[in-house]
Amino acid sequence: MKEMQAIETSQSTTVAPAVHSRQLGAQLSGSMSFSSQMSKEDEEMSRTALSAFRAKEEEIEKKKMEIRERVQAQLGRVEEETKRLALIREELEGLADPMRKEVALVRKKIDSVNKELKPLGHTVQKKEREYKEALEAFNEKNREKVQLITRLMELVGESEKMRMKKLEELSKNIDSIH
């Protein structure tokens, strides 16, 4: 912008003395007519306006280029940030996926083990009932055996007493025969 003002100032300083000197020359000589003097002034003003217009156009183009460059730089930064954010998102998704897979795998294993445990639990209960029944039968037979052994001991004891008694009687009978 400052450059444009400097260009305009330098143009106006170079154009103004030329116009001024021509006007003075025309007035001093007096040989030129009024209409030719006006057309020269109009022509000079047109050139000055055209120069100013061109200078403004150049300034606008320069500003456009600056803005384009800034926009391009900004777009480049935005693109880099977008890539960075995409990488961060991928990393986050990468962290979530293995955990989900592991959790799903562990859940499947738990379900599988539960399915295996159910029949095993029924088998355990059935075996426990069978064990209790077998233990009761064992204990019953053991009590019966103890009773039988007790009865046997009683019988053996009675039998011994009776035989001893018989033996004493026989011994007395033998003694009485002699």
Side-chain angles (χ1 to χ4, degrees):
M1 190 148 171
K2 288 179 182 177
E3 291 174 12
M4 293 309 278
Q5 288 173 348
I7 291 171
E8 286 176 18
T9 307
S10 68
Q11 284 178 350
S12 65
T13 54
T14 57
V15 171
V19 170
H20 196 305
S21 65
R22 281 189 195 141
Q23 286 175 351
L24 281 176
Q27 284 174 357
L28 289 176
S29 67
S31 63
M32 291 188 180
S33 69
F34 180 71
S35 64
S36 66
Q37 195 176 23
M38 282 300 279
S39 65
K40 284 184 179 180
E41 283 180 14
D42 287 343
E43 192 178 306
E44 198 59 41
M45 284 175 36
S46 295
R47 281 188 214 152
T48 305
L50 186 59
S51 294
F53 177 75
R54 285 184 185 149
K56 286 287 183 183
E57 283 293 315
E58 286 176 14
E59 181 182 347
I60 289 171
E61 277 302 311
K62 196 178 221 182
K63 283 184 179 180
K64 270 188 190 178
M65 291 304 289
E66 287 175 11
I67 290 173
R68 271 194 197 121
E69 288 172 8
R70 288 191 354 221
V71 165
Q72 287 299 327
Q74 195 73 6
L75 285 174
R77 283 192 290 265
V78 166
E79 216 173 281
E80 288 174 19
E81 289 299 315
T82 303
K83 287 178 185 176
R84 208 171 114 233
L85 287 173
L87 286 173
I88 291 171
R89 179 186 297 145
E90 284 178 21
E91 286 181 31
L92 281 173
E93 288 173 0
L95 288 175
D97 275 347
M99 291 187 335
R100 276 192 227 143
K101 288 177 184 176
E102 278 186 50
V103 167
L105 184 64
V106 169
R107 284 185 177 157
K108 284 181 183 179
K109 286 182 180 180
I110 289 171
D111 289 342
S112 174
V113 168
N114 275 339
K115 287 177 184 175
E116 292 173 17
L117 276 175
K118 236 179 193 179
L120 289 174
H122 292 303
T123 304
V124 166
Q125 288 175 351
K126 182 179 174 184
K127 297 288 182 182
E128 283 177 342
R129 267 185 267 123
E130 289 175 2
Y131 170 76
K132 286 178 184 177
E133 291 171 3
L135 184 62
E136 282 181 32
F138 174 78
N139 287 337
E140 184 64 36
K141 289 295 177 184
N142 213 13
R143 281 191 291 267
E144 188 179 334
K145 176 184 161 188
V146 168
Q147 288 174 351
L148 289 172
I149 289 174
T150 305
R151 178 71 180 138
L152 176 65
M153 297 297 281
E154 288 173 3
L155 289 174
V156 168
E158 282 180 32
S159 174
E160 285 178 4
K161 282 183 192 176
M162 288 175 80
R163 282 191 306 182
M164 285 300 274
K165 198 174 184 185
K166 268 294 194 201
L167 281 175
E168 283 178 21
E169 281 179 22
L170 285 176
S171 180
K172 279 185 191 176
N173 277 344
I174 292 179
D175 284 339
S176 66
I177 300 179
H178 288 124

